[in-house]
Amino acid sequence: MATVTDILTLTQWFSPGYPVGAFAYSHGLEWAIDRGQIITAEHAGVWISTVLNHGAGWNDSLFLAAAYRANSADVAEIDAQCRAFAASAERLKETDLQGAAFCEVTQKVWSADLEGLTYPVAVGRAAWLQGLPLDLTTQFYLQAFIANLATIAMRLVPLGQTEGQKLIRALTPLCTQLAERTSGASLDDLSNTAFLTDVAAMHHETQYSRIFRT
């Protein structure tokens, strides 16, 4: 069972104030909005749920769980596979830079043995080192992922704050569902059929005017 300390630790790790720079990355969403593919909260909800169920959300959860269960000697191999599974240069940049930032601050604050890992792998390894529950860690990770993309939509569509918060609330049950599905899965279950989101990330690399790094 999760303790209050576990919950508060995860709340700190995934709060907007934790310096991983998540606010700087749109995961290709900026390009999709710029091209008029997302103009309503419903459109944004479909896009984000697709990423979660069929793209990076699903795969990140698998990499997080694999790193959580792995011995220290296997973490580097899992991390290399996570890098290889990035569908574009910007997706690799996103997971690499956020992971490096997470490793740096978590190592200093919790004296955790972390260095140079992609974001989901770093989170999974750190959660195991701190004795945090895997399912709860995955849920927090995914909820932060949803919130970040919803915030992008709030700013660029634009959606109102209330509409954006309704969107986050509507998508939050997916966090529990995915955590349950991936807890019994392995890296053999990696897959990605969210092709349009990958295409958007590729196009964003050469987008003329942009706010976000990805």
Side-chain angles (χ1 to χ4, degrees):
M1 295 293 292
T3 67
V4 172
T5 300
D6 292 340
I7 295 170
L8 292 176
T9 297
L10 289 168
T11 299
Q12 182 175 352
W13 284 4
F14 296 109
S15 74
Y18 208 67
V20 298
F23 64 88
Y25 305 97
S26 84
H27 209 72
L29 189 57
E30 181 176 26
W31 182 86
I33 294 171
D34 183 68
R35 288 305 179 96
Q37 295 180 2
I38 298 174
I39 58 176
T40 67
E42 183 179 1
H43 292 159
V46 170
W47 182 280
I48 297 170
S49 64
T50 299
V51 173
L52 286 170
N53 283 311
H54 307 292
W58 168 256
N59 290 328
D60 279 5
S61 298
L62 291 175
F63 283 120
L64 191 160
Y68 185 94
R69 300 189 186 104
N71 59 53
S72 57
D74 293 334
V75 172
E77 182 177 347
I78 294 168
D79 187 69
Q81 190 169 355
C82 185
R83 293 175 187 277
F85 223 77
S88 68
E90 287 200 348
R91 287 285 175 83
L92 179 57
K93 176 195 293 184
E94 189 172 78
T95 192
D96 181 41
L97 295 181
Q98 287 192 75
F102 181 87
C103 285
E104 182 178 3
V105 66
T106 307
Q107 186 176 45
K108 291 177 179 177
V109 176
W110 277 271
S111 300
D113 183 16
L114 298 169
E115 187 174 357
L117 300 173
T118 50
Y119 192 31
V121 175
V123 170
R125 181 64 178 165
W128 180 82
L129 290 171
Q130 296 303 312
L132 303 175
L134 173 58
D135 283 2
L136 190 63
T137 302
T138 303
Q139 291 174 53
F140 266 85
Y141 180 94
L142 293 172
Q143 206 271 345
F145 186 78
I146 290 170
N148 187 62
L149 293 185
T151 300
I152 305 301
M154 287 182 217
R155 295 172 64 181
L156 297 184
V157 171
L159 304 180
Q161 292 293 326
T162 299
E163 196 169 20
Q165 292 302 318
K166 286 181 178 179
L167 175 61
I168 294 171
R169 181 183 178 185
L171 292 171
T172 292
L174 285 176
C175 301
T176 302
Q177 295 168 19
L178 279 171
E180 291 175 350
R181 288 167 56 198
T182 56
S183 65
S186 71
L187 295 184
D188 291 336
D189 298 297
L190 287 167
S191 65
N192 187 352
T193 55
F195 302 124
L196 185 56
T197 65
D198 290 337
V199 170
M202 294 173 191
H203 280 298
H204 190 269
E205 295 173 15
T206 57
Q207 186 170 330
Y208 176 71
S209 176
R210 61 186 193 174
I211 299 172
F212 300 94
R213 301 183 71 176
T214 66

